[in-house]
Every structure is written in C-alpha cells, then in structure tokens.
Amino acid sequence: MSQEPAVRQPLEPAAADAVRAYAARTQADADRFAGALEDIAANGLPAVEECTP
C-alpha cells in the first residue's frame, strides 16, 4: 500500500511573516553563540575579571 504525501496548508501572510521573524532572531542568536565559542576556541577562556555574571 502506497502512502500519499501529506498536503501542506499555506500559512496566512501574517503568520508566515511571524515565523520568518522568529527564524531570523533564532539564527542571529545562534550566530552570536557560535562566534563566542569560536573566540574561546581561538583565544582560550577570558579572565574571570573580564566576565559578567
């Protein structure tokens, strides 16, 4: 028995815009986090005095 592919229902334009905005924010957060990890990998951990809680 073959299964038919699920049919996707398009989002309303406002909902699609909200999803895109969330994706952009999430990507920006991930890019900042990756940058911080890359800096630690290249330069080591910062001194405790330079860190903020």
Side-chain angles (χ1 to χ4, degrees):
M1 177 191 306
S2 65
Q3 293 181 342
E4 293 183 29
V7 176
R8 292 184 175 211
Q9 296 179 357
L11 295 175
E12 294 292 325
D17 289 343
V19 170
R20 287 185 193 100
Y22 177 75
R25 286 191 308 272
T26 302
Q27 183 67 53
D29 290 343
D31 289 344
R32 281 192 297 277
F33 183 58
L37 293 177
E38 289 173 4
D39 182 63
I40 290 170
N43 303 306
L45 292 170
V48 174
E49 299 82 27
E50 296 177 14
C51 297
T52 56

